[in-house]
Amino acid sequence: MIEYRNLRIAILGGGSVGAQVASLLLEHGDELASRAGAGLELIGVAVRDLDAKRTPPLPRELLTTDPASLILGADIVIELMGGIEPARTLLLDAINSGADIITANKALLATHGPELFDAAEQVGAQLYYEAAVGGAIPIIRPLRDSLAGDRVKRILGIVNGTTNYILDLMEREGASLEDALAKATELGYAEADPTADIEGYDAAQKVSILASLAFHTNVPLEAVHREGITAVTMEQVESARKAGFVVKLLAICERLTDAETGEDGVSARVYPALIPVTHPLAAVHGANNAVFIEAEAAGDLMFYGAGAGGLQTASAVLGDLVSAARRHVIGGPGVAESNHANLPVLPISSITTRYQITLKVADRPGVLAAIASLFSEHGVSVEALTQSAGLGAIDPDATATLVIGTHEATEHALAATVAALKSSEVVRAVVSVLRVEGL
Ligand code: NAP
């Protein structure tokens, strides 16, 4: 029987993820110890309410309402309480008292990541956060370690399961956004207050973490352009399908050169966009997540799986625990944050992409030519145009629907085109403007 050095593990939070991590640690402690090369002794789980029901149940004697005292005796602190405070202060205290830390807290990392990384680096502590993006999906370690020798060009991610579930239901069952959201709430995919998901805040936090890691640059949350799914309509989803696309809430980050200024930098953004049905991300259904990486040498890679769930997320946390424990035993500094590239984060106006624009127009001869010349005046080239009715009707009040796909254009040129369309006498309404990605 191998005698391992014992490491003391404290868990902050005994909720969906924390209770699963604690339970698996108690159940599989010996096996995890063999993998880590250290005994893993769970010394306590900090919670708010000692009497709350926990799934799975935890031994009462492990629970405490005093997280500050708990961390003082720990070698490794696992933070699964969520929110900014007291999680931030507790993790800083844990680092300063000599512990390594693991967290699944994307909100904290996206807002105070540099502070935590700096504090960890000062004392040589480790900070692991595999579960903060994509739940069970290994994505932090592949970006940090496996792709460390490559250059990531672009990441397209479906990183919010709630919105993917909603858009998927709209696409597959013709549900309205409201009905799909109600179903997501009923199934427990959406919170009672779904704002963080449907307005894209959750995805923005995750893309800030992914972009910082992929491009070795601090990408603060405030620099992420964010649009949610609340304006997505059934008409958009249907017209996307007819044109061979699906609507997905995409978290995108990429290296790019501003088309107008020539400045090199990175862009990080979240918005609903069309992707071709043939793109691997189009096959991500339900509440699943996927991250599609385009790297210079590796080419295209996709990481797919459960983006949330207590048990699934616990898998990623325990993976971090084994890594942290192994390194704790061997010694040496933790993996420092890499921000040597320090690229500027460019605004949304710097990006170039394709667009699909749906218009209601007067149904009479000459309208197509008028619309086409508006696009060309603003330097936006039309790639495809479909119309719902023959433009040439006798009735002067008749309306036709035009769906126009563009070649690549800048946000700036597109915005000018849309403004011109809105004030054009032949356009009755600009029904929708969606970006097209993944071509
Ligand atoms: P949760 O179910 O709400 O659990 C939070 C836990 O923290 C509860 O046990 C709560 O105690 C405890 N807690 C909160 N504030 C506390 C305080 N001030 N002092 C002591 N204990 C406190 O949250 P969760 O879903 O497990 O999520 C935990 C973290 O994992 C979050 O950062 C989340 O973003 C991240 N994450 C979650 C998932 C997921 O699928 N759930 C996926 C990926 C990442 P009580 O139980 O007594 O209230």
Side-chain angles (χ1 to χ4, degrees), residues 350-376:
S350 297
I351 74 160
T352 304
T353 189
R354 297 170 188 236
Y355 301 84
Q356 192 190 74
I357 300 153
T358 306
L359 304 174
K360 295 270 185 219
V361 297
D363 190 3
R364 61 170 191 259
V367 165
L368 276 185
I371 303 275
S373 81
L374 269 181
F375 275 82
S376 100

Side-chain angles (χ1 to χ4, degrees), residues 117-406:
F117 282 112
D118 281 353
E121 202 173 346
Q122 297 279 328
V123 297
Q126 304 176 74
L127 197 174
Y128 285 90
Y129 53 101
E130 184 61 71
V133 181
I137 305 171
I139 186 63
I140 301 299
R141 211 172 261 106
L143 276 173
R144 195 186 57 196
D145 299 337
S146 322
L147 290 167
D150 207 333
R151 282 190 107 211
V152 174
K153 295 189 292 185
R154 196 150 87 118
I155 298 177
L156 294 178
I158 294 175
V159 292
N160 181 271
T162 309
T163 45
N164 199 58
Y165 176 83
I166 292 170
L167 293 173
D168 197 38
L169 210 62
M170 291 172 76
E171 156 73 24
R172 297 215 277 184
E173 294 183 17
S176 67
L177 184 93
E178 292 71 25
D179 289 348
L181 173 58
K183 184 86 180 160
T185 311
E186 187 189 314
L187 293 175
Y189 293 139
E191 305 276 333
D193 176 1
T195 313
D197 292 324
I198 63 174
E199 295 292 0
Y201 291 101
D202 174 82
Q205 290 168 351
K206 291 168 180 168
V207 81
S208 138
I209 295 171
L210 290 178
S212 300
L213 197 58
F215 304 121
H216 307 278
T217 287
N218 176 30
V219 178
L221 186 56
E222 313 81 73
V224 178
H225 174 87
R226 176 193 53 77
E227 295 169 35
I229 63 162
T230 46
V232 175
T233 62
M234 257 322 294
E235 290 70 35
Q236 286 177 326
V237 172
E238 271 163 20
S239 104
R241 187 187 314 119
K242 283 183 198 150
F245 295 99
V246 288
V247 182
K248 295 285 185 193
L249 182 69
L250 294 183
I252 303 169
C253 52
E254 64 183 338
R255 276 177 202 269
L256 85 172
T257 303
D258 186 303
E260 276 161 28
T261 65
E263 186 183 17
D264 288 327
V266 300
S267 157
R269 51 198 200 261
V270 172
Y271 45 62
L274 303 182
I275 52 169
V277 285
T278 48
H279 193 282
L281 287 175
V284 178
H285 297 297
N288 283 314
N289 281 197
V291 180
F292 187 84
I293 299 179
E294 298 168 20
E296 260 180 28
D300 295 347
L301 304 167
M302 185 153 112
F303 300 82
Y304 167 86
L311 183 60
Q312 294 85 342
T313 306
S315 159
V317 174
L318 287 171
D320 279 352
L321 178 59
V322 170
S323 299
R326 216 185 274 141
R327 193 183 279 261
H328 197 101
V329 170
I330 295 167
V335 190
E337 186 191 27
S338 167
N339 54 15
H340 62 85
N342 202 17
L343 293 163
V345 186
L346 301 176
I348 187 75
S349 54
S350 297
I351 74 160
T352 304
T353 189
R354 297 170 188 236
Y355 301 84
Q356 192 190 74
I357 300 153
T358 306
L359 304 174
K360 295 270 185 219
V361 297
D363 190 3
R364 61 170 191 259
V367 165
L368 276 185
I371 303 275
S373 81
L374 269 181
F375 275 82
S376 100
E377 272 165 35
H378 293 91
V380 178
S381 151
V382 172
E383 191 201 20
L385 187 149
T386 51
Q387 62 189 60
S388 66
L391 292 157
I394 313 262
D395 177 0
D397 294 328
T399 297
T401 301
L402 289 187
V403 180
I404 298 164
T406 76

